[in-house]
Amino acid sequence: MNEEVKKNMEEFGFPVIVDEKSGAMQWVDMRELRLRYIISVENIKPFYEGLREGKLMATKCKKCGRIFFPPQKDCPSCFDSDIEWVELKKEGTLETMTVVFVKPPSFGQYDPYPVAIAKLDDGPRILAWYSGDPQQVKPGQRVKVQVSRRKEGYLMYELAPI
Amino acid sequence: MSENVAVIGIGHSKFGTRKDVNIAELCWESMKPAFETANLEPKDIDFFVVSNAGMWSSEAAIPALIAEYADLAPKGSMRVEAACASGSAALRVGYTAVKSGMVDLALILGVEKMQESPNPNVIELIGRFGSYFWEFENFGLTFPAYYALHGTAYMMKYGATEEDYAKVAVKNHYYGAKNPYAQFQKEIDVETVLKSPYIAWPFKLFDCSPITDGSACVILASEEKVKELGIDEKVWILGQGVGTGTANLSRREEFTSLASARYAAEQAYKMAGIDIDDPANYLDGANVHDCFTAPEIIAYEDLRFCKRGEGYKLIRDEQTYIGGKIPVNIDGGLKAKGHPIGATGVSQAVEAYKQLLQKAEPGRQADINKGRWLAHNVGGTGHYTYVTIYGLEKR
Ligand SMILES: [Zn+2]
């Protein structure tokens, strides 16, 4: 909590501050909420098992052959959940990119990061960080999917120039 | 069932940093003029819908909050959310409720008080509007970044430049300067845009709509009610289309267009009896979702104001200024007027009413010859698109 709020609470009795620009009085909320979700990955475990070995896994409907990436466990074309896991070839062509300069606070520990979308040779598209120099990217840039360890300590896929 | 539905009352708060009011007060700021222009009181309203994305602001039960503050209890209500298209989603609910004959008078309120949270928290929360798990959690996409992926693809495919994008900001600031309700009432030049710091390449600060507090309100009435009340000043909803896109951008086929927008436009044009091959010829102007500069250009194409790949030429040739092929965002757009998420779609409806009834402020009134205005409101990055067409004459 900032010093001004503390001071006003002691002297004035309430957690208020005066907004610098408008001069309007603001109540500073005493109830802080931190959010961290717990998300089920039970049905896509093979994706993570594959990623640990440097493989990019997708799901494929056994009935119609449709490939899903990101993987999903049900095929809405067939109303069927009889899927198999298939390894995607890890090469493709970069389609677009950006560089995120103003980051969400939860990504504050990273330098500005390039994000790209590539179309894999096997068909599906993939969005991920691009580890190459964004200024050197040319139209039709060939890329590969690789796995690296994040600053937080976990493994994640990224795109790299070929 | 009511064959036609009209907008009979409008209200708009000042958009900007509104530390001077709380959420309920901000709501009333647009509700009061909406009641006054419709010559109605809260007790006349049958049903009301509040659009609000929330998260960054304290109050979640806003329908109840305003039921209390503005004497709308015990009338029915709900809060709706469709990211940045929440306002149009609320209109959709009110429009269908009136059209179905279930209610005769519906109040639609859009409100957002984004500045109850610090900017970094808003940046964090707004980036979560796409696929949270696959595209935000590990790759930290922000709202500008999602659209920047489209801006880059568009430049690569068609040869548009960052300067072309800057021209959209210049136009929208030019008109924002003439709109007393706009957050930024200041003209800028191309240099200002190009020299501003990068937010998400190729977008710079001045390519981006701001973080805004604001509210907007409209009152919808059935055809019978319009007759009964003897309402002269109104605009009719001639058609509305809605589309939805995939959560993951990686599940889409292309990044130079929004499929949900094309889908919504097609529906809306059909419903309004507008030739899909030449819609600009049926419209006096439009509001399109310029949360960033490039998406305004992409909207020209998705709405078929020009051919695919030629949108940037429209802005280069100043064809979307008043006097051009079709004036666009002459209230300043999201870019200069501000983008209070839940209020934006309703604000577009207010602008359609003002333009068609020739009540826009000096210097930003379009010529009204065809009697039709279009509003294009996108939630997320084409995750939702609403296209609504308003007209002076009912169908
Ligand atoms: Zn199948």
Side-chain angles (χ1 to χ4, degrees), chain B residues 44 53 115 145 165 213 244 283 300 310 320 338 364:
Chain B
D44 301 320
Q115 301 202 24
Y165 293 165
D213 302 328
T244 308
L283 300 164
Y300 299 162
E310 294 184 355
T320 48
R364 57 169 222 89

Side-chain angles (χ1 to χ4, degrees), chain B residues 280-310:
Chain B
N281 202 27
Y282 290 73
L283 300 164
D284 288 314
N287 278 74
V288 309
H289 200 86
D290 60 322
C291 46
F292 304 95
T293 50
E296 173 164 326
I297 290 172
I298 289 172
Y300 299 162
E301 300 179 12
D302 289 341
L303 294 166
R304 303 205 192 196
F305 297 165
C306 61
K307 291 198 186 81
R308 291 284 298 272
E310 294 184 355

Side-chain angles (χ1 to χ4, degrees), chain B residues 21-28 31 48 50 52 57-73 75 77-79 109 111-113 116:
Chain B
V21 285
N22 68 24
I23 294 176
E25 293 160 354
L26 185 60
C27 291
W28 182 246
M31 291 170 75
F48 62 106
V50 176
N52 172 258
S57 52
S58 52
E59 298 290 347
I62 300 180
L65 188 77
I66 64 159
E68 175 184 305
Y69 197 87
D71 281 345
L72 284 164
K75 300 296 170 54
S77 69
M78 67 175 75
R79 168 181 162 190
L109 174 77
V111 64
E112 211 71 60
K113 198 136 193 303
E116 280 194 1

